Amino acid sequence: MPHLLSTCFDKMNAMKYLLFLLSFTLFTPLFSYADTQPKQSIVFGVHSKTAPLEWRNNGVDQGFNIELMNRIGQMCNARILTRRKTFQQLLSDVHSPESDIDVIAIVSPVTIDRDLSQSDPIYATHAKAYTLQGKAFINGWHDLVGKRVAIKKGAFVDVYLSGQEQEFERIDVDLYETGFQLLIKGQVDVVLAENFVARRLLPFYPSIRSSSDPLIYGAFNFVTNGKNAPLMAKINEALRQLKLSGEYDKLVNKWFGTGREKVDLTTTQQKMLWLAILVSIISAFGMILTAYISASLRKRTLSLKSELVQRRKAEQQILSLSQQFQSVLNGIPHGVTIFNRRCECLWSNDKNNLLLKSPEFHFTQGQVFQLDDSLIEVLNEQKSLTADMSYHAQYWQLQIHPIAEDQAVILLEETTEQQALRQANNEASRLASLGELSAGVAHEINNPTGLIIHSIAFLNHALCDLKPAAHHYTQQNPFWSVAGLDPNQAIEELEISCATIDEGANRISRIVSDLKCYARPNIANKHRPMKLNEVVTVSLRLTANQIKLFNLTTHLQLPEPELMGDAQQLQQVLINLIQNACHASKPISDSIPSLITIETYTRDSDHYLTITDTGAGMDDATLKRITEPFFTTRRSSGGTGLGLSVCSRIIKEHNAQMQINSRLGKGTKISIRFPLITAITKQMPEQQSEQERTVSLETER
């Protein structure tokens, strides 16, 4: 019995081997013949960046539609060429008989056919409404009445609504992403978007949500123009064969995770087995005739395999090099674009490419930038062009280099930060020159001021000696007058004038002294004992011309808080804070003037300096960036954005802390706390009252 079973299995194995040889003998010439036939090309246009339909990964086009089209091309003995364009370009090309695009994949409503020749449905999808978070749910078309609805021009939602009465305000957009951006800006209320695209965009727009059930059902189809109707018939036939064979389901399961499973594979295999046996019996008589051909083909096959292995190695090296080159170009932070003479974009890394055709993108000198004219000029002269450009408040460097007679590469690099640094450097140079100039001017002012003080002292002594003589002369001549005044009254007026001149000259001398001290270069790590109230007094003198227009109140603690620090630098901090408070406040001439308050006090062994205003205040976004270099809300009026940044640095050098509290429309309070490590503390009598330790000076100007 075992011997009999062994014999049966040997016969079955021999039969299978015979069938394999016969099948290979019959079909190998057919396959060889098919491989030698020239293949036609089908140009498949794609536009989407939405997985899993069609997108580009490391420079390789992938996706369900692309893989399905490649499989159809194999069945139609045609090579598929993938060409990527914008959605609007594809719509225009597929309607033109002269287009270089043969087939595109597009969504059509299930109830409406397009005018173009289209295939059987490929995959189902739908469109629904998307709104901002917190908006009401859209239960149907009636909830869109009166709303502003964004619709992508040419998409299947547009096709579905064409010719129908619409009770909402329709706003056409070129992309669903443009609709989402308008939704965030509040320029539309609802976006009707296709499911797959919306699923890709939602992670980038967290403030937008899906707000309805499906409103429109559609299906992906391959479409082409009328002249390619025979081609569409072949595509439909191949598509149906793929569905019948189960390959279509495998593709669906691969890219979407769903699909039908074939359950009748056993019966099909049995039928194919009996058919193969029949064919093998018929072909057995031709084995002797094909033996010689098989031997020669085997030799040729080995040669082709060796050549194929070498070619695949070369293709793999080229692909690897291409991917590396593509990764490098995509990783460059600047825009790189290649144009031809007709101003057609041949390649781009999709970074700031739209600026080149924007009407607001112009030369920094103000001349209008025309991409066509600049490209033709560079290509004709074969000379590179480098220029500084501006777009709104941003600056860019534009470089156009010829790389062939009809092609040029455009490099676009943002230089806003470099421009800001250059302006800040120029401003710092001007400020340094102004400091040197102010020191020289202060020295020159000191000389005449000293003469005035000396002369006034002489006049005061002279008036003291002239009083008795004038009194004696008046008794002898009662009608004597000085400048039309009674002699005693005239001498009194002269004394008042001398005192006023002496006070003004002394004030000029103090201001010049403060200005020279403020302009003197700072020497790091040279902190000395200083009084906080004196910093406030000097700063108020230097800003007297500005604060005279505002209501100012000062509360300075006595005895004065003493610190270890640089008085000049702290004066610079307080002057900057006073100027900022003046900019944010209303002058006395306004109906409701603002109040500016400056205080010094001691709490928990720490000394505090605070400045408070009741001006415009700041919002949270401005408050978070207030100490960033070059950030300012007054750039149009000359602000550089360096003031509070420098103040923050000086305060840190003094081991102090600055706290800013502000509310929009309520005002701002800035507190600077000097810890015990930088303070020179003195023992104060416990019985000393708060009234004795604090002096309040209220100035109403």
Side-chain angles (χ1 to χ4, degrees):
M1 188 66 178
H3 177 73
L4 179 60
L5 291 175
S6 175
T7 303
C8 292
F9 281 115
D10 291 341
K11 290 182 178 180
M12 292 178 66
N13 291 332
M15 181 63 70
K16 289 182 179 180
Y17 180 74
L18 178 61
L19 292 176
F20 171 76
L21 291 179
L22 292 176
S23 300
F24 180 82
T25 303
L26 280 176
F27 293 112
T28 298
L30 298 178
F31 293 152
S32 301
Y33 175 77
D35 291 340
T36 59
Q37 294 301 308
K39 292 186 177 181
Q40 63 175 347
S41 297
I42 301 176
V43 180
F44 181 46
V46 297
H47 72 94
S48 177
K49 298 179 181 178
T50 305
L53 297 175
E54 50 202 37
W55 83 100
R56 181 176 292 168
N57 186 13
N58 292 327
V60 180
D61 290 313
Q62 299 182 4
F64 173 76
N65 288 338
I66 295 175
E67 187 167 347
L68 179 60
M69 195 64 197
N70 285 331
R71 186 66 185 94
I72 291 174
Q74 293 175 2
M75 298 179 67
C76 297
N77 196 28
R79 182 177 58 176
I80 303 300
L81 301 179
T82 302
R83 187 158 298 169
R84 188 171 293 276
K85 295 186 178 182
T86 66
F87 179 73
Q88 301 299 332
Q89 287 176 332
L90 291 177
L91 284 180
S92 175
D93 287 350
V94 81
H95 282 86
S96 173
E98 306 300 328
S99 169
D100 59 342
I101 299 297
D102 296 323
V103 181
I104 68 173
I106 198 169
V107 182
S108 297
V110 295
T111 57
I112 301 175
D113 290 334
R114 293 183 179 267
D115 297 334
L116 301 171
S117 177
Q118 64 184 30
S119 71
D120 295 340
I122 301 173
Y123 198 76
T125 185
H126 61 269
K128 54 185 178 180
Y130 293 85
T131 64
L132 293 175
Q133 296 282 358
K135 297 297 182 180
F137 192 79
I138 305 297
N139 294 303
W141 293 98
H142 56 277
D143 287 339
L144 300 179
V145 175
K147 296 184 182 295
R148 299 168 298 174
V149 181
I151 297 173
K152 179 180 176 182
K153 189 65 177 175
F156 87 109
V157 179
D158 182 19
V159 175
Y160 178 82
L161 295 176
S162 298
Q164 297 188 22
E165 184 178 356
Q166 302 167 9
E167 298 182 358
F168 52 82
E169 181 183 353
R170 170 174 172 162
I171 298 178
D172 291 337
V173 295
D174 57 343
L175 298 170
Y176 289 122
E177 188 168 7
T178 305
F180 278 21
Q181 294 171 355
L182 295 179
L183 183 61
I184 292 177
K185 295 178 181 178
Q187 298 179 9
V188 298
D189 303 314
V190 181
V191 177
L192 292 183
E194 190 269 332
N195 175 50
F196 286 109
V197 179
R199 284 169 56 187
R200 176 184 67 87
L201 292 176
L202 284 179
F204 301 100
Y205 297 91
S207 60
I208 298 177
R209 67 159 189 171
S210 169
S211 301
S212 75
D213 294 328
L215 299 176
I216 307 173
Y217 291 92
F220 280 92
N221 302 83
F222 294 129
V223 300
T224 184
N225 51 41
K227 74 170 186 177
N228 288 330
L231 173 62
M232 185 53 67
K234 293 181 179 180
I235 292 175
N236 267 333
E237 180 63 27
L239 183 60
R240 292 163 188 165
Q241 291 181 16
L242 290 173
K243 290 182 178 180
L244 291 175
S245 66
E247 272 192 76
Y248 171 84
D249 297 319
K250 292 180 180 179
L251 286 178
V252 170
N253 190 50
K254 173 182 176 181
W255 293 104
F256 299 99
T258 60
R260 297 182 294 112
E261 294 292 339
K262 289 295 181 181
V263 296
D264 199 18
L265 295 178
T266 303
T267 304
T268 303
Q269 290 176 353
Q270 290 178 352
K271 292 180 179 179
M272 292 300 296
L273 177 60
W274 285 111
L275 180 61
I277 293 174
L278 180 60
V279 172
S280 299
I281 294 173
I282 297 174
S283 61
F285 297 99
M287 287 185 61
I288 298 176
L289 299 177
T290 58
Y292 176 76
I293 298 176
S294 297
S296 61
L297 288 176
R298 191 178 299 109
K299 182 178 180 180
R300 179 60 178 169
T301 299
L302 294 175
S303 175
L304 291 175
K305 284 183 178 180
S306 176
E307 182 180 352
L308 181 60
V309 169
Q310 295 178 358
R311 182 174 298 182
R312 284 179 177 175
K313 289 182 179 179
E315 290 177 352
Q316 186 63 34
Q317 293 176 354
I318 294 174
L319 178 60
S320 177
L321 182 62
S322 174
Q323 291 176 351
Q324 293 175 1
F325 182 69
Q326 184 72 31
S327 299
V328 171
L329 291 178
N330 289 335
I332 294 176
H334 314 309
V336 181
T337 311
I338 299 177
F339 285 94
N340 60 13
R341 186 179 290 273
R342 296 185 297 276
C343 199
E344 296 174 344
C345 179
L346 304 180
W347 182 88
S348 174
N349 63 354
D350 297 330
K351 294 182 180 177
N352 306 315
N353 193 23
L354 296 178
L355 287 179
L356 298 175
K357 297 185 179 180
S358 173
E360 300 179 1
F361 186 68
H362 55 81
F363 295 96
T364 53
Q365 294 82 5
Q367 299 94 331
V368 178
F369 173 72
Q370 295 292 339
L371 178 61
D372 300 356
D373 298 340
S374 300
L375 275 175
I376 293 175
E377 179 182 355
V378 169
L379 291 175
N380 289 341
E381 297 181 2
Q382 289 295 302
K383 292 183 179 180
S384 299
L385 170 66
T386 302
D388 292 328
M389 315 296 293
S390 63
Y391 177 78
H392 295 298
Q394 297 176 329
Y395 294 91
W396 304 81
Q397 185 184 67
L398 174 72
Q399 299 182 36
I400 306 179
H401 303 285
I403 56 176
E405 293 184 358
D406 294 327
Q407 294 182 7
V409 60
I410 297 182
L411 307 177
L412 195 58
E413 178 182 0
E414 184 177 2
T415 59
T416 305
E417 184 176 354
Q418 292 89 325
Q419 188 74 12
L421 290 173
R422 190 180 302 116
Q423 293 177 357
N425 184 43
N426 295 337
E427 184 69 20
S429 299
R430 288 195 297 270
L431 291 176
S433 301
L434 181 60
E436 296 177 1
L437 180 63
S438 64
V441 171
H443 177 73
E444 294 298 327
I445 292 176
N446 262 340
N447 293 331
T449 303
L451 293 176
I452 293 173
I453 294 175
H454 179 73
S455 300
I456 290 301
F458 173 77
L459 289 177
N460 283 327
H461 289 298
L463 285 175
C464 292
D465 296 335
L466 288 175
K467 278 184 180 181
H471 179 69
H472 179 73
Y473 186 75
T474 302
Q475 291 179 350
Q476 296 179 1
N477 186 4
F479 301 103
W480 177 57
S481 63
V482 178
L485 298 175
D486 181 74
N488 293 329
Q489 185 180 358
I491 290 177
E492 184 179 353
E493 289 294 332
L494 285 173
E495 289 177 343
I496 294 174
S497 298
C498 287
T500 302
I501 294 173
D502 184 61
E503 181 183 356
N506 286 324
R507 185 181 179 191
I508 291 174
S509 179
R510 288 196 304 270
I511 292 176
V512 168
S513 177
D514 294 339
L515 186 60
K516 289 175 65 178
C517 183
Y518 181 74
R520 187 181 300 121
N522 176 52
I523 301 177
N525 300 324
K526 296 294 183 180
H527 290 182
R528 299 178 179 177
M530 50 161 287
K531 295 182 178 181
L532 194 57
N533 289 0
E534 186 177 347
V535 172
V536 177
T537 304
V538 173
S539 301
L540 290 177
R541 283 202 300 267
L542 292 176
T543 58
N545 192 47
Q546 290 179 279
I547 62 178
K548 68 182 181 181
L549 302 176
F550 301 91
N551 287 335
L552 175 68
T553 302
T554 59
H555 300 281
L556 305 180
Q557 175 178 291
L558 288 179
E560 297 186 52
E562 296 187 8
L563 309 172
M564 289 293 293
D566 190 321
Q568 173 191 342
Q569 287 190 331
L570 293 181
Q571 291 166 16
Q572 181 180 353
V573 171
L574 187 55
I575 289 173
N576 193 286
L577 297 180
I578 292 173
Q579 291 175 341
N580 288 348
C582 292
H583 286 305
S585 303
K586 297 180 180 179
I588 296 177
S589 58
D590 290 354
S591 58
I592 306 177
S594 300
L595 177 64
I596 300 175
T597 304
I598 301 177
E599 296 181 90
T600 61
Y601 58 91
T602 301
R603 180 186 298 166
D604 298 332
S605 301
D606 292 334
H607 296 317
Y608 289 84
L609 170 63
T610 65
I611 177 169
T612 307
D613 66 75
T614 58
M618 295 175 286
D619 55 19
D620 292 340
T622 303
L623 196 59
K624 290 179 180 178
R625 303 184 58 192
I626 195 65
T627 58
E628 289 184 11
F630 310 112
F631 175 78
T632 178
T633 57
R634 297 187 297 105
R635 195 172 298 280
S636 60
S637 58
T640 62
L642 292 173
L644 282 178
S645 177
V646 174
C647 291
S648 178
R649 175 184 59 78
I650 294 173
I651 291 171
K652 289 180 180 178
E653 290 176 355
H654 285 74
N655 295 323
Q657 295 180 355
M658 179 171 63
Q659 182 178 4
I660 305 176
N661 297 318
S662 183
R663 291 181 61 188
L664 201 60
K666 299 296 184 180
T668 303
K669 178 179 181 181
I670 300 179
S671 300
I672 303 176
R673 181 176 67 87
F674 298 92
L676 185 62
I677 191 173
T678 61
I680 301 177
T681 59
K682 291 186 177 180
Q683 187 67 26
M684 300 173 56
E686 296 181 358
Q687 294 79 9
Q688 188 175 15
S689 64
E690 184 69 22
Q691 184 177 3
E692 294 175 346
R693 292 189 289 112
T694 304
V695 174
S696 299
L697 303 176
E698 297 189 0
T699 305
E700 300 290 340
R701 295 183 175 89

